[in-house]
Amino acid sequence: MGKNLSIATISLLLVLASTNAEQALTKAWKAACAVARSKVVISAGAYKLGLVTLLGPCKGAIEFNLQGTLQAPSDVASFNGKDGWVIFKNIDGLTVSGGGVFDGKGQLAWEKNNCNKEKSCNALPVNIRFDYVTNSIVQDITSRNSKFFHINLFECKKLQFQSVTITAPADSPNTDGIHVGHSSQITITNANIGTGDDCISISDGNQDVSANQVTCGPGHGISIGSLGKNENEQPVSGIRVSGATISNTKNGVRIKTWPSAHSGVASDIHFEDIVMKNVANPIIIDQNYCPNSQCSNKSPSKVKISNVSFKKIRGTSSTKEAVKLICSKSVPCQQVVLSDIDLAYNGGGGSTTSSCANVKPAVSGKQNPPACTNKL
């Protein structure tokens, strides 16, 4: 272990002493990566860091221990069109820990972000990317003010997130907390996420993703999708969200698919034991998802949704319509369950309502609002 600790100390000194911190950190990472069971430590303090890719495979398990604050460049131009800031790639047995902060300095980038309005927009860097990372754990870190998504997963397997904090203002565009793509056996536990977009977003090609005891808000809630926008999307299955508290968000738990687009499959998706606090659209399946008129609504969604349950969901809704299950006319939703729903309207003027289209949910337990009071 003495040799491994020596590498860690050298890593720290290089980062502290260098005017080109990304080169110094990359050099230290390579040295640690060549030794089994090694650790790179960045101690308390604030350090400016440009784009860096920390590559594997490594000799064995490796830990990135961040105790200080890494600060990204504020200027988007310095990233030369790259879509990540700190990138972990091709690593098995990674631990990211230490209680430190990845500060994306996103304020200037948000002003230039037109991705909500344009079908094609300039790539903005994600705070932390995990590409092809397996058998790994991320714990006790903070991602702050990312220019785009905070944490992005691609082709990861058996990756755990524990006690992660993610923060950005409610009006910061496209700052999804954790975006999961083409990954499997992912667990997110005890995360505290407040952003300007989805707290957690799960796109196509994901299997066996669970989120437990997540605190979400502000933001757009916890979302499956959007799905069906692109050709050849892979199925989504085995998604479980439980024990969440969602507060002051634009949506609660949601499945969203594009109309008049491409085919897809979303199945075995379950939301349970969730508390809503002043949440708009607490329960929603939206198969007409089309933000900022970026698509045509001439034909229905081609994404097939089945085996979905909403159970033990309670609290307050900031919209009168608390449950909205709008499924596709061409491929109606199947095996949808509503059980023990108790959502009170937070405004004046009566109780909450619900709407349904192209779905006949199985209903049990308390239903406030009554299921499918408006059939569209």
Side-chain angles (χ1 to χ4, degrees):
M1 287 298 293
K3 185 175 181 181
N4 297 342
L5 290 174
S6 171
I7 289 174
T9 303
I10 292 171
S11 302
L12 173 59
L13 292 175
L14 284 168
V15 171
L16 289 175
S18 176
T19 56
N20 193 333
E22 53 270 22
Q23 288 185 7
L25 178 56
T26 300
K27 183 178 179 180
W29 173 268
K30 287 180 179 178
C33 191
V35 180
R37 299 182 62 81
S38 56
K39 180 188 291 189
V40 174
V41 178
I42 301 176
S43 65
Y47 311 104
K48 296 183 185 301
L49 181 72
L51 187 157
V52 63
T53 299
L54 304 177
L55 280 172
C58 293
K59 189 78 172 180
I62 186 168
E63 181 174 353
F64 183 88
N65 187 274
L66 175 62
Q67 299 169 14
T69 298
L70 298 179
Q71 298 174 334
S74 297
D75 185 8
V76 174
S78 65
F79 288 87
N80 296 315
K82 302 295 184 181
D83 62 358
W85 171 37
V86 179
I87 303 168
F88 296 93
K89 188 172 183 178
N90 295 330
I91 306 167
D92 183 70
L94 169 70
T95 298
V96 179
S97 64
V101 178
F102 295 83
D103 188 347
K105 297 287 183 181
Q107 290 86 341
L108 291 178
W110 301 333
E111 296 174 4
K112 301 176 182 178
N113 187 326
N114 63 349
C115 292
N116 281 336
K117 300 176 183 178
E118 301 293 336
K119 290 184 179 180
S120 59
C121 56
N122 296 326
L124 294 171
V126 172
N127 254 15
I128 315 167
R129 290 191 65 102
F130 295 95
D131 296 343
Y132 305 97
V133 173
T134 57
N135 300 302
S136 298
I137 184 168
V138 180
Q139 60 186 7
D140 301 317
I141 62 160
T142 294
S143 176
R144 178 192 300 155
N145 292 340
S146 182
K147 294 175 177 64
F148 202 60
F149 296 172
H150 281 260
I151 295 173
N152 190 90
L153 279 61
F154 181 73
E155 293 286 358
C156 294
K157 186 175 183 178
K158 294 185 179 179
L159 177 55
Q160 301 177 49
F161 291 86
Q162 296 181 0
S163 302
V164 170
T165 300
I166 297 173
T167 61
D171 60 353
S172 58
N174 301 113
T175 52
D176 293 42
I178 300 175
H179 180 77
V180 187
H182 291 263
S183 297
S184 63
Q185 295 177 266
I186 308 300
T187 61
I188 303 166
T189 306
N190 292 322
N192 190 339
I193 305 172
T195 71
D197 212 298
D198 295 329
C199 293
I200 298 171
S201 55
I202 299 171
S203 65
D204 74 297
N206 290 297
Q207 290 82 41
D208 299 323
V209 179
S210 65
N212 308 303
Q213 306 301 322
V214 171
T215 299
C216 167
H220 294 181
I222 297 174
S223 293
I224 314 302
S226 56
L227 303 174
K229 185 179 182 181
N230 303 308
E231 290 188 78
N232 302 316
E233 289 188 356
Q234 299 300 305
V236 179
S237 64
I239 312 301
R240 284 162 176 77
V241 178
S242 64
T245 299
I246 303 177
S247 305
N248 302 309
T249 54
K250 292 185 177 180
N251 299 283
V253 290
R254 174 170 59 156
I255 302 173
K256 52 183 177 176
T257 76
W258 291 75
S260 194
H262 304 285
S263 60
V265 175
S267 63
D268 190 18
I269 299 170
H270 305 284
F271 305 97
E272 185 170 2
D273 191 20
I274 295 171
V275 175
M276 304 286 182
K277 297 181 178 179
N278 194 43
V279 170
N281 309 308
I283 296 172
I284 180 168
I285 295 177
D286 181 6
Q287 293 210 257
N288 292 319
Y289 178 74
C290 185
N292 302 294
S293 301
Q294 292 186 37
C295 58
S296 168
N297 279 301
K298 292 180 180 178
S299 61
S301 175
K302 300 173 184 175
V303 177
K304 177 67 174 178
I305 295 174
S306 63
N307 189 15
V308 174
S309 66
F310 302 92
K311 298 181 178 180
K312 298 181 181 177
I313 298 179
R314 60 204 181 275
T316 57
S317 174
S318 64
T319 52
K320 194 170 180 62
E321 188 174 55
V323 179
K324 188 175 183 180
L325 308 179
I326 307 303
C327 295
S328 170
K329 183 185 291 186
S330 65
V331 280
C333 297
Q334 294 183 340
Q335 298 172 280
V336 175
V337 173
L338 292 173
S339 178
D340 295 315
I341 307 299
D342 189 5
L343 295 166
Y345 181 38
N346 226 15
S351 302
T352 50
T353 63
S354 65
S355 296
C356 296
N358 306 306
V359 61
K360 296 179 180 179
V363 175
S364 65
K366 185 170 185 176
Q367 294 293 314
N368 178 32
C372 302
T373 50
N374 299 318
K375 295 183 180 180
L376 305 178

